[in-house]
Every structure is written in C-alpha cells, then in structure tokens.
Amino acid sequence: GLSAILWNFVFIPPRFTFAITAGEDWLMLLMYLVTASVIGTFTRQLRLSESRLREQGERTEALYRMTRTLASARDASEAIHRSLEQLKTELDVEGSVWVLEGKQRLEEARQQGNFHPNDKEWAALQWSFLNRQPAGRFTDTLPAVKGHYIPLMDQTGVWGMLAIDTTPMKELGTESLALVQAISQQLSFALGRDDLFRQLQTRHVREESEKIYKTLLNSVSHELRTPLTAIHGFADALASRRSDPQ
C-alpha cells in the first residue's frame, strides 16, 4: 500500500501530488495494488510455512533427544525416572508408572512416581489396564477424571501402566500427544526388555541349580556306593565261611 502511494506521488502526473487524472494511471495504480497484495499474501504464507517447518524440526529433534535419553537407560527404573522427568520438564505434569514384574493384578504392581490416584481415578486406571486401551481425560472413555492412563504393552503382553495428572493442562495438543506416545512406547520397550532379562536370569539360575543338584546327587551316590560295596563283599565272605565245613 505504501509503495503504491509513493509510486503515485513520484511518477504519476501531476508529480509530487496524490492527484490522479488519467484513466490509464488509475488502471496502473490498481494493477500495482493487486500485484503488491498478491506478493504480500504469498510472502506471508511462505513465512508461515517456514515457521511451521522450523517448529516441526525442533519438535522432531526434541523427540529424538528424548528417545535417545530413554533408550540409554540402564534398566527399567532409570527409564521410568527419566520419563517422568521429561513429562515434568516438557508438560509440567506429574506422573506415575505401575510395573507388573510378572504379577497379574495391578494392585500387586510396583508404583514409581508422584501421582497417587484416588478411588475414582483408580477405577479409570483399572479399566484401562483390563481393556488394554487409553482412558481418562482427553479420551472418549471416562473423560471426567483428571488422569490420563495408557497401558504399557507390546505384542507379547502388558508390562505396566502410565498415569499422567493432567490437571494443569487445558488440552492435549498434537505436540503433547506425540510426546506422551513416544514416552509410552519407550517405556514399553524398556519394561519388556527388563522382563526378558529377568526371565533369562531366572532360567540361568534354575539351570545352575539343577547342575549343582545333579553334581551333589552323584557325589552322594558315589559316597554311598563305596561303603555298600564293602559291606556287600564282607557279607559274601561271611556267607562263604558258614557254608564251608572246614
């Protein structure tokens, strides 16, 4: 708009005034305004697209860093601790994780975190655990509660539950949802890996126990066979003497 006014002031007769008398000058000014408006619209859209791409790149980089941080955890407890720290840092919310560790009931699971559900929240947590689906706030199931509950699972089973206290949140936007989903996936991997390691360790201990048992049994059998052989031989000798008349 300002460039069109300056064009009129400097180049359109009478110069150095804002008066326009000729029809072609009006047409030229109109075309100039249309062109400037179109270029301005394209420029604004280009800047918006650039801003979205920059924000998307920053989100992708943040998710990548978060994934690497969780993947480098030494065990499930450390992965849970880092995940809850990420939730606090990025979303300013508290959370808790329930780890089954081979248990079948959620009441027997080990809890780690600062979010402690009341009876109403616990019912939503149980529903999510039993039905293997997210529940709670920002979902279609039990949205009146303040917690957001996600089963930590993979193709082999459920390893635990993630609970997020969404009280400070007004909505669970696309970015926040992507972060929560990434955290839940990494926790599922960590808990599954920890359970597999625990099974392998239990199997190794059982195999070593069986080896020790067999070794001990063979040793005891050998120790018992030696005196029994001697006794059997002595008994045979006595029997031979009694049968010999001399």
Side-chain angles (χ1 to χ4, degrees):
L2 180 61
S3 59
I5 294 174
L6 290 176
W7 177 271
N8 176 29
F9 185 77
V10 176
F11 296 105
I12 296 179
R15 298 177 61 186
F16 307 113
T17 65
F18 294 104
I20 301 176
T21 57
E24 60 271 17
D25 292 336
W26 276 108
L27 181 61
M28 182 181 297
L29 180 62
L30 179 62
M31 293 298 296
Y32 192 92
L33 288 173
V34 171
T35 303
S37 176
V38 171
I39 293 176
T41 301
F42 285 155
T43 303
R44 183 168 57 254
Q45 291 178 352
L46 182 62
R47 288 177 179 175
L48 289 175
S49 299
E50 182 183 2
S51 177
R52 293 194 193 98
L53 289 174
R54 187 184 302 111
E55 292 176 356
Q56 184 177 2
E58 292 175 354
R59 290 197 303 268
T60 303
E61 184 178 357
L63 288 175
Y64 174 72
R65 290 197 305 268
M66 185 269 298
T67 302
R68 288 193 60 183
T69 299
L70 297 183
S72 63
R74 292 171 296 181
D75 52 27
S77 295
E78 184 175 350
I80 293 171
H81 177 72
R82 293 184 181 184
S83 299
L84 297 179
E85 281 187 341
Q86 286 288 333
L87 288 174
K88 184 65 176 178
T89 302
E90 300 294 335
L91 303 180
D92 193 26
V93 294
E94 297 289 348
S96 285
V97 175
W98 282 261
V99 185
L100 292 176
E101 295 180 335
K103 306 294 192 305
Q104 299 298 325
R105 301 175 66 249
L106 196 59
E107 293 83 352
E108 301 173 349
R110 174 176 62 87
Q111 180 184 357
Q112 184 175 338
N114 298 323
F115 178 36
H116 303 282
N118 55 25
D119 293 340
K120 183 179 180 180
E121 299 292 329
W122 184 261
L125 179 66
Q126 281 278 17
W127 189 95
S128 177
F129 171 70
L130 295 174
N131 292 274
R132 309 295 194 259
Q133 297 179 13
R137 194 178 178 196
F138 306 125
T139 69
D140 296 331
T141 305
L142 303 174
V145 299
K146 65 179 182 179
H148 185 79
Y149 305 103
I150 304 174
L152 302 177
M153 55 187 292
D154 57 18
Q155 296 178 352
T156 58
V158 179
W159 309 114
M161 290 293 301
L162 170 64
I164 303 173
D165 184 4
T166 61
T167 302
M169 302 177 64
K170 295 182 179 180
E171 63 177 356
L172 188 62
T174 304
E175 298 179 15
S176 302
L177 180 60
L179 177 65
V180 171
Q181 290 176 344
I183 288 178
S184 63
Q185 289 176 357
Q186 290 299 317
L187 280 176
S188 298
F189 294 152
L191 294 180
R193 183 180 60 215
D194 193 69
D195 185 80
L196 178 61
F197 176 76
R198 185 169 54 252
Q199 291 181 15
L200 292 176
Q201 191 175 32
T202 302
R203 182 181 302 175
H204 177 71
V205 170
R206 184 170 59 250
E207 291 175 353
E208 292 297 322
S209 299
E210 290 177 357
K211 289 180 180 179
I212 294 175
Y213 172 77
K214 290 180 180 179
T215 302
L216 181 61
L217 182 61
N218 292 334
S219 176
V220 172
S221 299
H222 176 73
E223 295 297 330
L224 287 176
R225 282 198 302 268
T226 300
L228 286 176
T229 302
I231 294 172
H232 186 268
F234 185 71
D236 289 342
L238 289 177
S240 297
R241 288 183 180 181
R242 289 182 179 179
S243 61
D244 188 0
Q246 297 179 354

